[in-house]
Amino acid sequence: MDDTKHWYRSKTVWGALIAVAASLLQVAGLQLGPDVQADLVELIVTSAGVVGGLLAIYGRIVADSGIRGK
């Protein structure tokens, strides 16, 4: 695997976190079905990408120094 990405862009990480959360919710008496868990993973990964992009744009706008190529 040569490609890398941030942890918050990983469906595997979010799937695992949601599975843990679903287990904890089940202990509390609430149940999330597999289809709801899959939908949550897609929503979170997509949202993380949008938030990351917006933060990058904001960071570039408020930066004190410019970008220079080679």
Side-chain angles (χ1 to χ4, degrees), residues 5-11 13-14 44-46 48-49 51-53:
K5 59 185 167 187
H6 295 286
W7 69 269
Y8 57 83
R9 300 285 311 253
S10 170
K11 289 182 182 180
V13 170
W14 283 110
I44 290 171
V45 170
T46 301
V51 170

Side-chain angles (χ1 to χ4, degrees), residues 30-66:
L30 301 171
Q31 291 189 7
L32 294 179
D35 53 334
V36 174
Q37 291 181 40
D39 289 344
L40 284 173
V41 168
E42 287 295 325
L43 177 65
I44 290 171
V45 170
T46 301
S47 298
V50 169
V51 170
L54 291 174
L55 285 174
I57 292 168
Y58 174 76
R60 184 66 257 156
I61 290 171
V62 300
D64 292 332
S65 58

Side-chain angles (χ1 to χ4, degrees), residues 18-33:
I18 290 172
V20 169
S23 296
L24 293 174
L25 287 173
Q26 188 172 4
V27 169
L30 301 171
Q31 291 189 7
L32 294 179

